[in-house]
Structure formats: C-alpha cells, structure tokens
PDB file of all heavy atoms in Angstrom:
ATOM      1  N   ILE M  12      74.518 106.423 117.832  1.00 94.00           N
ATOM      2  CA  ILE M  12      74.909 105.423 118.848  1.00 94.00           C
ATOM      3  C   ILE M  12      76.392 105.542 119.157  1.00 94.00           C
ATOM      4  O   ILE M  12      76.810 105.509 120.320  1.00 94.00           O
ATOM      5  CB  ILE M  12      74.516 104.011 118.396  1.00 94.00           C
ATOM      6  CG1 ILE M  12      72.989 103.880 118.401  1.00 94.00           C
ATOM      7  CG2 ILE M  12      75.156 102.956 119.298  1.00 94.00           C
ATOM      8  CD1 ILE M  12      72.464 102.568 117.854  1.00 94.00           C
ATOM      9  N   ALA M  13      77.232 105.689 118.144  1.00 90.00           N
ATOM     10  CA  ALA M  13      78.673 105.823 118.364  1.00 90.00           C
ATOM     11  C   ALA M  13      78.982 107.055 119.211  1.00 90.00           C
ATOM     12  O   ALA M  13      79.820 107.004 120.118  1.00 90.00           O
ATOM     13  CB  ALA M  13      79.399 105.880 117.031  1.00 90.00           C
ATOM     14  N   PHE M  14      78.303 108.163 118.950  1.00 90.00           N
ATOM     15  CA  PHE M  14      78.521 109.386 119.721  1.00 90.00           C
ATOM     16  C   PHE M  14      78.107 109.190 121.180  1.00 90.00           C
ATOM     17  O   PHE M  14      78.803 109.605 122.090  1.00 90.00           O
ATOM     18  CB  PHE M  14      77.784 110.559 119.086  1.00 90.00           C
ATOM     19  CG  PHE M  14      78.071 111.869 119.746  1.00 90.00           C
ATOM     20  CD1 PHE M  14      79.320 112.464 119.624  1.00 90.00           C
ATOM     21  CD2 PHE M  14      77.103 112.507 120.510  1.00 90.00           C
ATOM     22  CE1 PHE M  14      79.597 113.668 120.234  1.00 90.00           C
ATOM     23  CE2 PHE M  14      77.369 113.717 121.118  1.00 90.00           C
ATOM     24  CZ  PHE M  14      78.618 114.293 120.994  1.00 90.00           C
ATOM     25  N   GLU M  15      76.937 108.549 121.395  1.00 92.00           N
ATOM     26  CA  GLU M  15      76.490 108.272 122.775  1.00 92.00           C
ATOM     27  C   GLU M  15      77.496 107.439 123.533  1.00 92.00           C
ATOM     28  O   GLU M  15      77.836 107.737 124.674  1.00 92.00           O
ATOM     29  CB  GLU M  15      75.150 107.521 122.754  1.00 92.00           C
ATOM     30  CG  GLU M  15      73.936 108.382 122.557  1.00 92.00           C
ATOM     31  CD  GLU M  15      72.648 107.571 122.562  1.00 92.00           C
ATOM     32  OE1 GLU M  15      72.676 106.355 122.910  1.00 92.00           O
ATOM     33  OE2 GLU M  15      71.611 108.117 122.196  1.00 92.00           O
ATOM     34  N   VAL M  16      77.956 106.356 122.902  1.00 90.00           N
ATOM     35  CA  VAL M  16      78.921 105.464 123.551  1.00 90.00           C
ATOM     36  C   VAL M  16      80.222 106.207 123.832  1.00 90.00           C
ATOM     37  O   VAL M  16      80.785 106.097 124.927  1.00 90.00           O
ATOM     38  CB  VAL M  16      79.182 104.204 122.691  1.00 90.00           C
ATOM     39  CG1 VAL M  16      80.348 103.389 123.226  1.00 90.00           C
ATOM     40  CG2 VAL M  16      77.918 103.332 122.629  1.00 90.00           C
ATOM     41  N   ALA M  17      80.693 106.990 122.874  1.00 86.00           N
ATOM     42  CA  ALA M  17      81.935 107.743 123.064  1.00 86.00           C
ATOM     43  C   ALA M  17      81.809 108.749 124.212  1.00 86.00           C
ATOM     44  O   ALA M  17      82.729 108.908 125.014  1.00 86.00           O
ATOM     45  CB  ALA M  17      82.306 108.459 121.762  1.00 86.00           C
ATOM     46  N   GLN M  18      80.640 109.414 124.310  1.00 87.00           N
ATOM     47  CA  GLN M  18      80.413 110.360 125.410  1.00 87.00           C
ATOM     48  C   GLN M  18      80.390 109.629 126.751  1.00 87.00           C
ATOM     49  O   GLN M  18      81.040 110.065 127.704  1.00 87.00           O
ATOM     50  CB  GLN M  18      79.074 111.079 125.215  1.00 87.00           C
ATOM     51  CG  GLN M  18      79.152 112.298 124.373  1.00 87.00           C
ATOM     52  CD  GLN M  18      77.820 113.032 124.367  1.00 87.00           C
ATOM     53  OE1 GLN M  18      76.771 112.433 124.228  1.00 87.00           O
ATOM     54  NE2 GLN M  18      77.877 114.338 124.514  1.00 87.00           N
ATOM     55  N   GLU M  19      79.646 108.543 126.839  1.00 89.00           N
ATOM     56  CA  GLU M  19      79.515 107.802 128.093  1.00 89.00           C
ATOM     57  C   GLU M  19      80.842 107.235 128.572  1.00 89.00           C
ATOM     58  O   GLU M  19      81.098 107.170 129.764  1.00 89.00           O
ATOM     59  CB  GLU M  19      78.513 106.658 127.933  1.00 89.00           C
ATOM     60  CG  GLU M  19      77.090 107.132 127.767  1.00 89.00           C
ATOM     61  CD  GLU M  19      76.152 106.003 127.367  1.00 89.00           C
ATOM     62  OE1 GLU M  19      76.595 104.837 127.302  1.00 89.00           O
ATOM     63  OE2 GLU M  19      74.968 106.294 127.100  1.00 89.00           O
ATOM     64  N   ARG M  20      81.685 106.838 127.663  1.00 85.00           N
ATOM     65  CA  ARG M  20      82.946 106.194 128.028  1.00 85.00           C
ATOM     66  C   ARG M  20      84.131 107.157 128.056  1.00 85.00           C
ATOM     67  O   ARG M  20      85.266 106.726 128.234  1.00 85.00           O
ATOM     68  CB  ARG M  20      83.226 105.040 127.085  1.00 85.00           C
ATOM     69  CG  ARG M  20      82.125 104.004 127.230  1.00 85.00           C
ATOM     70  CD  ARG M  20      82.388 102.776 126.500  1.00 85.00           C
ATOM     71  NE  ARG M  20      81.281 101.857 126.748  1.00 85.00           N
ATOM     72  CZ  ARG M  20      81.426 100.591 126.918  1.00 85.00           C
ATOM     73  NH1 ARG M  20      82.620 100.060 126.887  1.00 85.00           N
ATOM     74  NH2 ARG M  20      80.381  99.813 127.136  1.00 85.00           N
ATOM     75  N   GLY M  21      83.848 108.434 127.885  1.00 80.00           N
ATOM     76  CA  GLY M  21      84.909 109.433 127.956  1.00 80.00           C
ATOM     77  C   GLY M  21      85.913 109.313 126.822  1.00 80.00           C
ATOM     78  O   GLY M  21      87.087 109.611 127.016  1.00 80.00           O
ATOM     79  N   LEU M  22      85.482 108.895 125.663  1.00 76.00           N
ATOM     80  CA  LEU M  22      86.388 108.739 124.539  1.00 76.00           C
ATOM     81  C   LEU M  22      86.548 110.019 123.725  1.00 76.00           C
ATOM     82  O   LEU M  22      87.375 110.086 122.829  1.00 76.00           O
ATOM     83  CB  LEU M  22      85.883 107.615 123.615  1.00 76.00           C
ATOM     84  CG  LEU M  22      85.769 106.242 124.269  1.00 76.00           C
ATOM     85  CD1 LEU M  22      85.167 105.239 123.300  1.00 76.00           C
ATOM     86  CD2 LEU M  22      87.126 105.758 124.747  1.00 76.00           C
ATOM     87  N   LEU M  23      85.747 111.017 124.048  1.00 75.00           N
ATOM     88  CA  LEU M  23      85.860 112.291 123.345  1.00 75.00           C
ATOM     89  C   LEU M  23      86.768 113.208 124.155  1.00 75.00           C
ATOM     90  O   LEU M  23      86.334 114.101 124.859  1.00 75.00           O
ATOM     91  CB  LEU M  23      84.466 112.927 123.159  1.00 75.00           C
ATOM     92  CG  LEU M  23      83.472 112.075 122.374  1.00 75.00           C
ATOM     93  CD1 LEU M  23      82.103 112.718 122.387  1.00 75.00           C
ATOM     94  CD2 LEU M  23      83.969 111.876 120.967  1.00 75.00           C
ATOM     95  N   GLY M  24      88.063 112.952 124.063  1.00 66.00           N
ATOM     96  CA  GLY M  24      89.028 113.698 124.846  1.00 66.00           C
ATOM     97  C   GLY M  24      89.234 115.106 124.327  1.00 66.00           C
ATOM     98  O   GLY M  24      88.636 115.533 123.346  1.00 66.00           O
ATOM     99  N   GLU M  25      90.107 115.813 124.992  1.00 62.00           N
ATOM    100  CA  GLU M  25      90.383 117.186 124.605  1.00 62.00           C
ATOM    101  C   GLU M  25      91.321 117.234 123.399  1.00 62.00           C
ATOM    102  O   GLU M  25      91.363 118.202 122.684  1.00 62.00           O
ATOM    103  CB  GLU M  25      91.010 117.945 125.765  1.00 62.00           C
ATOM    104  CG  GLU M  25      90.029 118.117 126.907  1.00 62.00           C
ATOM    105  CD  GLU M  25      90.659 118.810 128.093  1.00 62.00           C
ATOM    106  OE1 GLU M  25      91.717 119.452 127.937  1.00 62.00           O
ATOM    107  OE2 GLU M  25      90.097 118.719 129.185  1.00 62.00           O
ATOM    108  N   SER M  26      92.074 116.155 123.201  1.00 66.00           N
ATOM    109  CA  SER M  26      93.005 116.146 122.059  1.00 66.00           C
ATOM    110  C   SER M  26      92.460 115.216 120.975  1.00 66.00           C
ATOM    111  O   SER M  26      91.900 114.180 121.246  1.00 66.00           O
ATOM    112  CB  SER M  26      94.390 115.668 122.508  1.00 66.00           C
ATOM    113  OG  SER M  26      94.326 114.334 122.935  1.00 66.00           O
ATOM    114  N   LEU M  27      92.666 115.656 119.774  1.00 70.00           N
ATOM    115  CA  LEU M  27      92.198 114.906 118.617  1.00 70.00           C
ATOM    116  C   LEU M  27      93.275 115.012 117.563  1.00 70.00           C
ATOM    117  O   LEU M  27      93.764 116.103 117.270  1.00 70.00           O
ATOM    118  CB  LEU M  27      90.890 115.511 118.118  1.00 70.00           C
ATOM    119  CG  LEU M  27      90.070 114.716 117.133  1.00 70.00           C
ATOM    120  CD1 LEU M  27      89.473 113.493 117.843  1.00 70.00           C
ATOM    121  CD2 LEU M  27      88.928 115.558 116.596  1.00 70.00           C
ATOM    122  N   HIS M  28      93.666 113.889 116.994  1.00 76.00           N
ATOM    123  CA  HIS M  28      94.707 113.912 115.965  1.00 76.00           C
ATOM    124  C   HIS M  28      94.099 113.363 114.677  1.00 76.00           C
ATOM    125  O   HIS M  28      93.524 112.269 114.665  1.00 76.00           O
ATOM    126  CB  HIS M  28      95.904 113.061 116.384  1.00 76.00           C
ATOM    127  CG  HIS M  28      96.971 113.019 115.343  1.00 76.00           C
ATOM    128  ND1 HIS M  28      97.779 114.092 115.082  1.00 76.00           N
ATOM    129  CD2 HIS M  28      97.334 112.055 114.480  1.00 76.00           C
ATOM    130  CE1 HIS M  28      98.625 113.773 114.104  1.00 76.00           C
ATOM    131  NE2 HIS M  28      98.363 112.541 113.728  1.00 76.00           N
ATOM    132  N   LEU M  29      94.209 114.126 113.616  1.00 79.00           N
ATOM    133  CA  LEU M  29      93.714 113.733 112.295  1.00 79.00           C
ATOM    134  C   LEU M  29      94.885 113.655 111.349  1.00 79.00           C
ATOM    135  O   LEU M  29      95.720 114.554 111.300  1.00 79.00           O
ATOM    136  CB  LEU M  29      92.688 114.755 111.788  1.00 79.00           C
ATOM    137  CG  LEU M  29      92.294 114.639 110.323  1.00 79.00           C
ATOM    138  CD1 LEU M  29      91.517 113.356 110.067  1.00 79.00           C
ATOM    139  CD2 LEU M  29      91.500 115.843 109.878  1.00 79.00           C
ATOM    140  N   ASP M  30      94.955 112.560 110.610  1.00 83.00           N
ATOM    141  CA  ASP M  30      96.010 112.415 109.612  1.00 83.00           C
ATOM    142  C   ASP M  30      95.392 111.842 108.344  1.00 83.00           C
ATOM    143  O   ASP M  30      94.474 111.025 108.404  1.00 83.00           O
ATOM    144  CB  ASP M  30      97.112 111.486 110.122  1.00 83.00           C
ATOM    145  CG  ASP M  30      98.374 111.577 109.270  1.00 83.00           C
ATOM    146  OD1 ASP M  30      98.487 112.520 108.469  1.00 83.00           O
ATOM    147  OD2 ASP M  30      99.239 110.695 109.398  1.00 83.00           O
ATOM    148  N   THR M  31      95.878 112.292 107.216  1.00 82.00           N
ATOM    149  CA  THR M  31      95.418 111.768 105.950  1.00 82.00           C
ATOM    150  C   THR M  31      96.610 111.376 105.089  1.00 82.00           C
ATOM    151  O   THR M  31      97.712 111.873 105.291  1.00 82.00           O
ATOM    152  CB  THR M  31      94.594 112.824 105.156  1.00 82.00           C
ATOM    153  OG1 THR M  31      95.423 113.938 104.861  1.00 82.00           O
ATOM    154  CG2 THR M  31      93.373 113.260 105.921  1.00 82.00           C
ATOM    155  N   THR M  32      96.361 110.484 104.177  1.00 82.00           N
ATOM    156  CA  THR M  32      97.361 110.136 103.181  1.00 82.00           C
ATOM    157  C   THR M  32      96.647 109.907 101.866  1.00 82.00           C
ATOM    158  O   THR M  32      95.467 109.565 101.848  1.00 82.00           O
ATOM    159  CB  THR M  32      98.178 108.882 103.592  1.00 82.00           C
ATOM    160  OG1 THR M  32      99.254 108.708 102.681  1.00 82.00           O
ATOM    161  CG2 THR M  32      97.311 107.635 103.619  1.00 82.00           C
ATOM    162  N   THR M  33      97.348 110.118 100.783  1.00 80.00           N
ATOM    163  CA  THR M  33      96.754 109.904  99.474  1.00 80.00           C
ATOM    164  C   THR M  33      97.418 108.708  98.819  1.00 80.00           C
ATOM    165  O   THR M  33      98.632 108.526  98.910  1.00 80.00           O
ATOM    166  CB  THR M  33      96.913 111.145  98.572  1.00 80.00           C
ATOM    167  OG1 THR M  33      98.292 111.489  98.503  1.00 80.00           O
ATOM    168  CG2 THR M  33      96.129 112.312  99.106  1.00 80.00           C
ATOM    169  N   LEU M  34      96.591 107.912  98.197  1.00 81.00           N
ATOM    170  CA  LEU M  34      97.093 106.773  97.423  1.00 81.00           C
ATOM    171  C   LEU M  34      96.970 107.147  95.954  1.00 81.00           C
ATOM    172  O   LEU M  34      95.859 107.347  95.444  1.00 81.00           O
ATOM    173  CB  LEU M  34      96.267 105.516  97.721  1.00 81.00           C
ATOM    174  CG  LEU M  34      96.172 105.116  99.195  1.00 81.00           C
ATOM    175  CD1 LEU M  34      95.185 103.983  99.365  1.00 81.00           C
ATOM    176  CD2 LEU M  34      97.536 104.733  99.722  1.00 81.00           C
ATOM    177  N   LEU M  35      98.090 107.278  95.293  1.00 79.00           N
ATOM    178  CA  LEU M  35      98.079 107.636  93.887  1.00 79.00           C
ATOM    179  C   LEU M  35      97.762 106.407  93.059  1.00 79.00           C
ATOM    180  O   LEU M  35      98.243 105.308  93.339  1.00 79.00           O
ATOM    181  CB  LEU M  35      99.439 108.204  93.475  1.00 79.00           C
ATOM    182  CG  LEU M  35      99.859 109.479  94.193  1.00 79.00           C
ATOM    183  CD1 LEU M  35     101.241 109.910  93.745  1.00 79.00           C
ATOM    184  CD2 LEU M  35      98.866 110.573  93.944  1.00 79.00           C
ATOM    185  N   LEU M  36      96.934 106.590  92.051  1.00 79.00           N
ATOM    186  CA  LEU M  36      96.481 105.470  91.233  1.00 79.00           C
ATOM    187  C   LEU M  36      96.955 105.649  89.794  1.00 79.00           C
ATOM    188  O   LEU M  36      96.739 106.690  89.187  1.00 79.00           O
ATOM    189  CB  LEU M  36      94.959 105.377  91.285  1.00 79.00           C
ATOM    190  CG  LEU M  36      94.390 105.233  92.703  1.00 79.00           C
ATOM    191  CD1 LEU M  36      92.880 105.347  92.663  1.00 79.00           C
ATOM    192  CD2 LEU M  36      94.808 103.930  93.324  1.00 79.00           C
ATOM    193  N   TYR M  37      97.582 104.632  89.280  1.00 76.00           N
ATOM    194  CA  TYR M  37      98.052 104.630  87.904  1.00 76.00           C
ATOM    195  C   TYR M  37      97.072 103.811  87.078  1.00 76.00           C
ATOM    196  O   TYR M  37      96.462 102.861  87.559  1.00 76.00           O
ATOM    197  CB  TYR M  37      99.445 104.001  87.814  1.00 76.00           C
ATOM    198  CG  TYR M  37     100.483 104.775  88.574  1.00 76.00           C
ATOM    199  CD1 TYR M  37     100.685 104.566  89.933  1.00 76.00           C
ATOM    200  CD2 TYR M  37     101.268 105.727  87.925  1.00 76.00           C
ATOM    201  CE1 TYR M  37     101.631 105.284  90.631  1.00 76.00           C
ATOM    202  CE2 TYR M  37     102.217 106.445  88.625  1.00 76.00           C
ATOM    203  CZ  TYR M  37     102.406 106.223  89.977  1.00 76.00           C
ATOM    204  OH  TYR M  37     103.333 106.933  90.665  1.00 76.00           O
ATOM    205  N   GLY M  38      96.883 104.154  85.828  1.00 73.00           N
ATOM    206  CA  GLY M  38      95.973 103.417  84.964  1.00 73.00           C
ATOM    207  C   GLY M  38      94.706 104.196  84.725  1.00 73.00           C
ATOM    208  O   GLY M  38      94.546 105.332  85.156  1.00 73.00           O
ATOM    209  N   GLU M  39      93.774 103.570  83.997  1.00 72.00           N
ATOM    210  CA  GLU M  39      92.529 104.223  83.666  1.00 72.00           C
ATOM    211  C   GLU M  39      91.416 103.746  84.599  1.00 72.00           C
ATOM    212  O   GLU M  39      91.321 102.558  84.894  1.00 72.00           O
ATOM    213  CB  GLU M  39      92.149 103.927  82.217  1.00 72.00           C
ATOM    214  CG  GLU M  39      93.120 104.571  81.247  1.00 72.00           C
ATOM    215  CD  GLU M  39      92.637 104.433  79.817  1.00 72.00           C
ATOM    216  OE1 GLU M  39      91.419 104.419  79.603  1.00 72.00           O
ATOM    217  OE2 GLU M  39      93.497 104.344  78.940  1.00 72.00           O
ATOM    218  N   TYR M  40      90.576 104.677  85.016  1.00 69.00           N
ATOM    219  CA  TYR M  40      89.448 104.386  85.882  1.00 69.00           C
ATOM    220  C   TYR M  40      88.202 104.992  85.262  1.00 69.00           C
ATOM    221  O   TYR M  40      88.272 106.052  84.632  1.00 69.00           O
ATOM    222  CB  TYR M  40      89.671 104.962  87.288  1.00 69.00           C
ATOM    223  CG  TYR M  40      90.785 104.272  88.015  1.00 69.00           C
ATOM    224  CD1 TYR M  40      92.100 104.690  87.879  1.00 69.00           C
ATOM    225  CD2 TYR M  40      90.524 103.174  88.795  1.00 69.00           C
ATOM    226  CE1 TYR M  40      93.131 104.039  88.518  1.00 69.00           C
ATOM    227  CE2 TYR M  40      91.559 102.504  89.453  1.00 69.00           C
ATOM    228  CZ  TYR M  40      92.848 102.937  89.303  1.00 69.00           C
ATOM    229  OH  TYR M  40      93.867 102.294  89.931  1.00 69.00           O
ATOM    230  N   PRO M  41      87.061 104.327  85.435  1.00 64.00           N
ATOM    231  CA  PRO M  41      85.818 104.919  84.903  1.00 64.00           C
ATOM    232  C   PRO M  41      85.582 106.296  85.518  1.00 64.00           C
ATOM    233  O   PRO M  41      86.091 106.615  86.586  1.00 64.00           O
ATOM    234  CB  PRO M  41      84.729 103.958  85.345  1.00 64.00           C
ATOM    235  CG  PRO M  41      85.436 102.709  85.750  1.00 64.00           C
ATOM    236  CD  PRO M  41      86.829 103.095  86.121  1.00 64.00           C
ATOM    237  N   GLU M  42      84.802 107.087  84.833  1.00 65.00           N
ATOM    238  CA  GLU M  42      84.482 108.425  85.330  1.00 65.00           C
ATOM    239  C   GLU M  42      83.790 108.345  86.688  1.00 65.00           C
ATOM    240  O   GLU M  42      83.040 107.411  86.972  1.00 65.00           O
ATOM    241  CB  GLU M  42      83.611 109.175  84.328  1.00 65.00           C
ATOM    242  CG  GLU M  42      84.355 109.544  83.064  1.00 65.00           C
ATOM    243  CD  GLU M  42      85.586 110.412  83.345  1.00 65.00           C
ATOM    244  OE1 GLU M  42      85.494 111.371  84.120  1.00 65.00           O
ATOM    245  OE2 GLU M  42      86.651 110.081  82.796  1.00 65.00           O
ATOM    246  N   THR M  43      84.034 109.323  87.517  1.00 60.00           N
ATOM    247  CA  THR M  43      83.489 109.380  88.862  1.00 60.00           C
ATOM    248  C   THR M  43      81.968 109.289  88.874  1.00 60.00           C
ATOM    249  O   THR M  43      81.389 108.566  89.671  1.00 60.00           O
ATOM    250  CB  THR M  43      83.931 110.687  89.551  1.00 60.00           C
ATOM    251  OG1 THR M  43      85.350 110.769  89.503  1.00 60.00           O
ATOM    252  CG2 THR M  43      83.453 110.741  90.986  1.00 60.00           C
ATOM    253  N   GLU M  44      81.305 109.990  87.965  1.00 62.00           N
ATOM    254  CA  GLU M  44      79.836 109.984  87.926  1.00 62.00           C
ATOM    255  C   GLU M  44      79.310 108.582  87.640  1.00 62.00           C
ATOM    256  O   GLU M  44      78.324 108.144  88.214  1.00 62.00           O
ATOM    257  CB  GLU M  44      79.310 110.960  86.874  1.00 62.00           C
ATOM    258  CG  GLU M  44      79.639 112.415  87.152  1.00 62.00           C
ATOM    259  CD  GLU M  44      81.067 112.784  86.728  1.00 62.00           C
ATOM    260  OE1 GLU M  44      81.641 112.148  85.824  1.00 62.00           O
ATOM    261  OE2 GLU M  44      81.625 113.720  87.344  1.00 62.00           O
ATOM    262  N   ALA M  45      79.955 107.872  86.721  1.00 66.00           N
ATOM    263  CA  ALA M  45      79.518 106.519  86.380  1.00 66.00           C
ATOM    264  C   ALA M  45      79.650 105.573  87.576  1.00 66.00           C
ATOM    265  O   ALA M  45      78.780 104.745  87.836  1.00 66.00           O
ATOM    266  CB  ALA M  45      80.319 105.983  85.200  1.00 66.00           C
ATOM    267  N   LEU M  46      80.730 105.709  88.331  1.00 60.00           N
ATOM    268  CA  LEU M  46      80.916 104.859  89.518  1.00 60.00           C
ATOM    269  C   LEU M  46      79.908 105.197  90.603  1.00 60.00           C
ATOM    270  O   LEU M  46      79.365 104.319  91.265  1.00 60.00           O
ATOM    271  CB  LEU M  46      82.329 105.036  90.092  1.00 60.00           C
ATOM    272  CG  LEU M  46      83.449 104.311  89.359  1.00 60.00           C
ATOM    273  CD1 LEU M  46      84.788 104.678  89.999  1.00 60.00           C
ATOM    274  CD2 LEU M  46      83.246 102.822  89.365  1.00 60.00           C
ATOM    275  N   ALA M  47      79.650 106.473  90.809  1.00 61.00           N
ATOM    276  CA  ALA M  47      78.740 106.907  91.879  1.00 61.00           C
ATOM    277  C   ALA M  47      77.322 106.433  91.640  1.00 61.00           C
ATOM    278  O   ALA M  47      76.564 106.230  92.584  1.00 61.00           O
ATOM    279  CB  ALA M  47      78.769 108.413  92.007  1.00 61.00           C
ATOM    280  N   GLN M  48      76.932 106.223  90.392  1.00 68.00           N
ATOM    281  CA  GLN M  48      75.576 105.805  90.079  1.00 68.00           C
ATOM    282  C   GLN M  48      75.379 104.298  90.189  1.00 68.00           C
ATOM    283  O   GLN M  48      74.256 103.828  90.231  1.00 68.00           O
ATOM    284  CB  GLN M  48      75.184 106.280  88.682  1.00 68.00           C
ATOM    285  CG  GLN M  48      75.069 107.788  88.606  1.00 68.00           C
ATOM    286  CD  GLN M  48      74.751 108.275  87.208  1.00 68.00           C
ATOM    287  OE1 GLN M  48      74.642 107.503  86.289  1.00 68.00           O
ATOM    288  NE2 GLN M  48      74.611 109.583  87.073  1.00 68.00           N
ATOM    289  N   ARG M  49      76.443 103.535  90.234  1.00 68.00           N
ATOM    290  CA  ARG M  49      76.321 102.083  90.344  1.00 68.00           C
ATOM    291  C   ARG M  49      75.991 101.702  91.788  1.00 68.00           C
ATOM    292  O   ARG M  49      76.686 102.100  92.715  1.00 68.00           O
ATOM    293  CB  ARG M  49      77.613 101.397  89.919  1.00 68.00           C
ATOM    294  CG  ARG M  49      77.847 101.468  88.432  1.00 68.00           C
ATOM    295  CD  ARG M  49      79.071 100.747  87.985  1.00 68.00           C
ATOM    296  NE  ARG M  49      79.214  99.441  88.586  1.00 68.00           N
ATOM    297  CZ  ARG M  49      80.319  98.707  88.484  1.00 68.00           C
ATOM    298  NH1 ARG M  49      81.355  99.171  87.825  1.00 68.00           N
ATOM    299  NH2 ARG M  49      80.391  97.541  89.057  1.00 68.00           N
TER     300      ARG M  49
END
C-alpha cells in the first residue's frame, strides 16, 4: 500500500538520500538470540 501511494503521488523521486547513525550502548544486554525469541 505504501508503494502504491508513493507511486500515485509522485513521492518516488529521482533523488534519494539515506543516512544512518549508530547509538553506542554501555552496560550489559541479554544475548541477541534470547531477545529475538521473546
């Protein structure tokens, strides 16, 4: 649905900007596998 709406409204322009940032985490966190299974 989002793709259809974006196409119909011309929101899929020729330019696309992607940016990422990382948030560093201090402390202990449960293992990734344990979190993914919850």
Side-chain angles (χ1 to χ4, degrees):
I12 292 174
F14 186 70
E15 279 180 10
V16 170
Q18 273 186 315
E19 291 170 5
R20 298 188 178 219
L22 300 176
L23 301 173
E25 294 177 18
S26 65
L27 193 69
H28 178 73
L29 168 68
D30 194 14
T31 62
T32 189
T33 55
L34 305 172
L35 299 178
L36 303 172
Y37 297 85
E39 293 188 31
Y40 293 88
E42 290 302 314
T43 305
E44 296 81 26
L46 282 176
Q48 292 177 359
R49 288 183 45 190

